[in-house]
Amino acid sequence: MSVFSSLDIGASGLTANRLWMDTISSNIANINTTRTAEGGPYKRQVVAFTPKGDSGGVRVSSISQYNGEPRLGYDPGHPDADTDGYVAMPDINIVIEMVNMVSATRAYEANVTVMSVAKSMFLKALEI
């Protein structure tokens, strides 16, 4: 383990959590998107983390689509409504997305703290 491994671990956490927050914000931005280029409503994106080798840290291993069924909402005037007047909406729960965003924010802040403490330790070591 090198002297700067704590900075590498903190930086990997910052990168992974920023990507997680980007994915959550994309889910929230598309909560009402009923038509995509692939056809059908927007599908919720989910981030998976894996350990980053023996040196520590974390990385995003994949961003996959959640395979939940779309929510059906009754809106006969909507251009994407079926013959019964139902519109297939993305299966995104705003409460779940907000809880995930708070978790990602707290994890990001924890990694910032790791890097700040490591920086303080390095500066104190230089004073010796």
Side-chain angles (χ1 to χ4, degrees), residues 28 43 48 50 59 65 79 89 91 94 96 115 118 122 124:
I28 292 172
K43 294 200 182 264
T50 58
R59 67 179 181 88
Q65 290 185 345
M89 304 291 288
D91 185 27
I94 191 69
I96 291 172
M115 295 189 70
F122 295 145
K124 286 292 181 187

Side-chain angles (χ1 to χ4, degrees), residues 4 11 16 36 39-41 45 62 72 74 78 84 93 96 100 115-116 125-126:
F4 297 108
T36 60
Q45 306 290 309
S62 68
L72 293 179
Y74 185 71
H78 195 282
D84 296 328
N93 184 334
I96 291 172
N100 286 341
M115 295 189 70
S116 295
L126 290 174

